[in-house]
Amino acid sequence: MAVSAQLSKIRNPNTPTWTTSSRKDMWLGLLERLNSDNRAFQTFLEEYATGADITLSRRDVRSIFALDASKGVIGTIIWTHARGIRVNALSLLVRDLPTLITLMSISDFGQEELNELLSQPGISVPTASKMLSACGKTYRKMPAAIIDDNVIQAIENTALCEDFPHVAKLRNKSRSRPLPYYEAYLKDVTAICEKHDITADMLDRYLAEHALEDLPLNSELQTA
């Protein structure tokens, strides 16, 4: 199994996981275009931006959320939208911030709660998976690992595919069946973590940041 050959690298990450950086003035510019008296985002930026940039890792967001859920939710939105977000989508997220904070107070998400999160503007399954992971949530009792395009490439098109039997049944259907695919992925991640005594944070970090470097894409799988 490919995962077993990479355990040393998976267990010993050298850099913080999922660090994103964006311009503070970009966010302030977007917020200035909103018709809202809610200044929570601006206050967050003033507190956590360093100079002209706001840089956050998953670890940072999780720590912030543990101390203050409202700030943590804002942190996840900024962290997962480092390239910015449409003004109308941001406007709705600011408007619905109390609802998001209440929703993210749930420790273990089910399909209903995840669907509610996905109904928010600008939140897709990859974004939702990052928000859940950053806030330390579980989905149906499984640690909420992150899934994105790099992860999908690694688990579908490299030797790692053998470690993900549930995903294999839905290969190349991540966009047409996002929720079943995400649940299949979490089942495989949970099984791998239990077998090798690692965490979902360790595994999905490796999959997103290093797997494609270590394991060349398998052309046969790519065309399957």
Side-chain angles (χ1 to χ4, degrees):
M1 295 175 72
V3 167
S4 62
Q6 304 298 329
L7 286 176
S8 177
K9 199 164 190 176
I10 292 171
R11 288 184 175 128
N12 298 287
N14 296 319
T15 58
T17 309
W18 263 288
T19 299
T20 65
S21 185
S22 52
R23 300 286 295 176
K24 176 182 175 182
D25 59 6
M26 176 193 74
W27 283 103
L28 292 175
L30 291 171
L31 292 162
E32 285 176 3
R33 296 169 63 184
L34 307 185
N35 183 24
S36 174
D37 295 328
N38 188 330
R39 306 287 297 177
F41 273 77
Q42 288 90 336
T43 300
F44 181 92
L45 288 165
E46 291 301 326
E47 183 173 354
Y48 290 101
T50 303
D53 297 316
I54 174 76
T55 300
L56 297 165
S57 70
R58 175 170 61 181
R59 186 181 306 163
D60 294 331
V61 176
R62 190 171 293 179
S63 297
I64 294 167
F65 183 83
L67 293 172
D68 188 317
S70 60
K71 290 180 180 179
V73 169
I74 293 170
T76 65
I77 293 170
I78 292 174
W79 175 63
T80 56
H81 294 86
R83 296 180 181 177
I85 186 173
R86 290 178 290 111
V87 171
N88 61 335
L90 180 58
S91 176
L92 293 172
L93 287 173
V94 171
R95 183 198 68 186
D96 294 339
L97 191 57
T99 299
L100 273 174
I101 293 168
T102 299
L103 181 62
M104 295 304 292
S105 70
I106 299 169
S107 297
D108 184 55
F109 273 58
Q111 186 171 338
E112 181 178 347
E113 291 80 12
L114 184 53
N115 278 329
E116 185 176 351
L117 181 59
L118 292 170
S119 71
Q120 298 295 321
I123 298 180
S124 60
V125 167
T127 300
S129 75
K130 291 177 182 179
M131 294 180 71
L132 293 176
S133 175
C135 295
K137 305 301 179 181
T138 58
Y139 178 72
R140 294 186 171 179
K141 308 298 183 183
M142 298 178 288
I146 294 174
I147 195 161
D148 63 7
D149 286 342
N150 279 352
V151 171
I152 292 170
Q153 277 279 79
I155 64 179
E156 289 196 0
N157 299 319
T158 73
L160 287 165
C161 67
E162 296 182 3
D163 293 279
F164 293 85
H166 289 94
V167 166
K169 298 174 184 177
L170 296 172
R171 181 147 42 100
N172 299 322
K173 295 182 180 179
S174 60
R175 286 171 176 79
S176 61
R177 301 184 64 189
L179 282 183
Y181 190 98
Y182 183 53
E183 187 165 349
Y185 175 63
L186 292 185
K187 288 178 180 178
D188 287 332
V189 166
T190 300
I192 291 168
C193 290
E194 290 176 352
K195 179 175 182 178
H196 297 291
D197 192 26
I198 57 177
T199 68
D201 285 356
M202 293 177 183
L203 181 59
D204 60 20
R205 173 206 184 267
Y206 173 77
L207 293 175
E209 298 184 1
H210 298 291
L212 296 180
E213 300 170 1
D214 297 341
L215 302 163
L217 294 177
N218 186 317
S219 60
E220 292 181 3
L221 289 173
Q222 281 186 284
T223 58

